[in-house]
Amino acid sequence: MAGLEARDGLLGVVGAGTMGAGIAQVAAGARWHVVLVDARPGAAEAAVGRVAAALARLVEKGRLIPAQRDERLSRLRPARGLGELAPAALVIEAIHEDLSAKRAVVAELGALLSDPAVIATNTSSLSVTAIAAAARLPARALGIHFFNPAPLMEVVEVVPALQTEPGVVQECVELLRAWGKDPVVVRDTPGFLVNRVARPFYGEALRLVEEGLATPEEVDAAMKTEAGFRMGPFELMDLIGNDVNFAVTESIFRGTGFDRRYLPSALQQRHVEAGYLGRKCGRGFYTYPPGPVAPVRVDPERARWIARRVLALLINEAAEALRTRLALADDIERAMTGASHYPKGLLHWADELGASEVVVTLEELFGTYGDMRYRPSPLLSSMARKGTKFFPADVPGAREGARAARPAARTAKP
């Protein structure tokens, strides 16, 4: 479709919150014209103002010149209603996470847009297939899930609905690359790829504290010192918001038929009920702004227990994502390092440790608890028996050669 290939195409963004404004900023920077719509009076105008402020900061930092800022701003405009989006080649819906509301927007857009136009939802947790079903042409609807903040995060999940034409997926992948993003195609399953694979990082950390085996401070210190993560699980939950993090876990738990791998934490639920949501309200697992605190020291051996346990669950989840064809191996690695800033890809981490080492840890936990959340992935168990690796040819140049068979992709910065 020529519309998605043009540098001066027209993008409609429905929902002028933080994410909608960020997406608008990205598209304007890639020489697309953007029309912002929001049902709340003045919200679209306010979003344009926030983009203007963000671009002004880039000028102050020397990353843009004033002429570039002005050119990008000239491509943004607020609109009074969806009717102004009729000429758009692509419309991205970025309203609140409510299935009925999203379906209503998509249905209205379907009646307005021309047949070649593409409708995308930025949902992070809802069924893309259910949303696409409301469109007049479901074959031209799909999910395009940006991560916050959209202008900075390179990885974008492209989620075909069951009805989406393959050609539409490829058009959107190529468009996102032209916008400077690193698209990863994933199946339409609860939590998609990044949010789903990341669940044990939070869930197992919470379980350690619930059982009195460690404090939040000790878990965070262990994951940073022993595993190399930038932030510990409790620091990150406070940054995301415990309410948001808990809601995502609940959504994935329900969507997977109450699979115990995604069992929500009673400890986190109590924090939400108490209003201890994290940084945004001054208190979560920690208090904000933090006062002078002595560095937490954890016995190195104990820290390796902690880190080994959480990491085994993460690797197991990545292996299951590959086994169930949620995404390709290289895409799983890029997504988790690019969107979640993991210190290395989980499948490569498994190769370094050895699949047998990870399986032994999981089997020890299963033997202790008898809980199916610790069942090893059949793929990981098979690899442990055979002594195989996820990337057996992972020598200099091997990954580049394998990637050459697919369209080139920009590697996400860790």
Side-chain angles (χ1 to χ4, degrees):
M1 185 175 77
L4 294 192
E5 298 169 2
R7 294 182 70 187
D8 293 298
L10 177 62
L11 169 71
V13 177
V14 183
T18 299
M19 188 58 70
I23 294 169
Q25 182 178 333
V26 170
R31 294 184 57 82
W32 271 58
H33 297 280
V34 184
V35 179
L36 277 159
V37 180
D38 198 292
R40 299 165 298 167
E45 291 80 1
V48 173
R50 290 197 303 276
V51 173
L55 295 177
R57 288 191 294 271
L58 293 178
V59 171
E60 291 172 3
K61 295 176 182 178
R63 296 174 61 184
L64 288 180
I65 62 173
Q68 290 174 312
R69 173 201 60 199
D70 295 343
E71 192 273 339
R72 294 183 186 190
L73 281 176
S74 72
R75 293 175 173 273
L76 295 175
R77 71 175 178 87
R80 293 183 178 276
L82 293 180
E84 296 186 43
L85 304 184
L90 169 66
V91 177
I92 299 177
E93 168 276 309
I95 67 171
H96 58 289
E97 290 287 281
D98 179 274
L99 181 59
S100 296
K102 287 178 180 291
R103 281 174 53 86
V105 167
V106 167
E108 191 171 350
L109 288 171
L112 290 170
L113 301 175
S114 63
D115 287 358
V118 173
I119 300 174
T121 174
N122 188 60
T123 183
S124 61
S125 61
L126 300 175
S127 166
V128 174
T129 296
I131 295 170
R136 179 171 59 86
L137 297 174
R140 302 200 67 77
L142 77 170
I144 298 181
H145 178 217
F146 289 81
F147 293 90
N148 193 31
L152 299 181
M153 300 294 282
E154 291 191 357
V155 171
V156 178
E157 291 178 321
V158 177
V159 189
L162 193 61
Q163 312 95 316
T164 310
E165 291 177 351
V168 173
V169 178
Q170 190 57 35
E171 288 177 64
C172 290
V173 165
E174 292 171 1
L175 173 68
L176 290 165
R177 287 184 180 138
W179 285 5
K181 297 301 181 183
D182 186 12
V184 173
V185 179
V186 304
R187 284 201 301 117
D188 182 18
T189 58
F192 308 140
L193 175 62
V194 173
N195 280 328
R196 185 163 178 169
V197 172
R199 284 307 100 195
F201 188 65
Y202 314 109
E204 202 58 23
L206 286 158
R207 187 157 192 171
L208 283 162
V209 174
E210 285 175 331
E211 294 178 355
L213 298 175
T215 65
E217 293 85 355
E218 289 171 333
V219 174
D220 283 351
M223 295 309 295
K224 290 187 288 187
T225 60
E226 295 299 320
F229 285 84
R230 293 184 182 183
M231 299 180 72
F234 293 93
E235 292 174 314
L236 190 51
M237 283 185 279
D238 275 1
L239 178 64
I240 295 168
N242 277 297
D243 53 339
V244 174
N245 190 267
F246 182 76
V248 171
T249 301
E250 272 199 316
S251 176
I252 296 174
F253 184 55
R254 289 193 305 270
T256 55
F258 307 103
D259 190 321
R260 287 190 60 84
R261 302 203 321 265
Y262 314 110
L263 181 69
S265 162
L267 173 62
Q268 190 175 36
Q269 182 178 359
R270 295 293 175 265
H271 275 66
V272 173
E273 292 169 345
Y276 298 165
L277 306 183
R279 288 178 178 268
K280 60 188 175 185
C281 68
R283 181 168 181 179
F285 290 103
Y286 300 101
T287 56
Y288 303 91
V293 179
V296 175
R297 290 183 173 83
V298 187
D299 175 75
E301 183 60 33
R302 187 156 167 265
R304 284 191 290 273
W305 177 66
I306 294 172
R308 175 176 174 246
R309 176 168 167 173
V310 176
L311 186 56
L313 270 291
L314 283 169
I315 289 172
N316 198 50
E317 198 63 37
E320 274 295 271
L322 181 62
R323 185 184 74 86
T324 59
R325 300 184 179 183
L326 186 56
L328 299 174
D330 195 49
D331 288 348
I332 293 171
E333 303 294 81
R334 286 180 15 247
M336 300 314 294
T337 55
S340 294
H341 301 296
Y342 285 7
K344 62 184 76 174
L346 293 170
L347 302 179
H348 279 87
W349 218 331
D351 284 352
E352 289 182 15
L353 296 172
S356 59
E357 176 69 20
V358 180
V359 169
V360 165
T361 299
L362 293 167
E363 289 178 340
E364 287 176 353
L365 289 166
F366 183 75
T368 300
Y369 294 99
D371 190 334
M372 291 300 288
R373 73 188 276 140
Y374 299 115
R375 66 188 185 278
S377 163
L379 174 59
L380 205 58
S381 294
S382 174
M383 292 174 64
R385 290 193 301 272
K386 298 175 182 177
T388 54
K389 294 186 174 184
F390 289 105
F391 298 96
D394 201 7
V395 295
R399 292 180 75 193
E400 287 73 11
R403 190 179 295 166
R406 304 197 306 274
R410 301 175 74 244
T411 302
K413 296 178 181 177

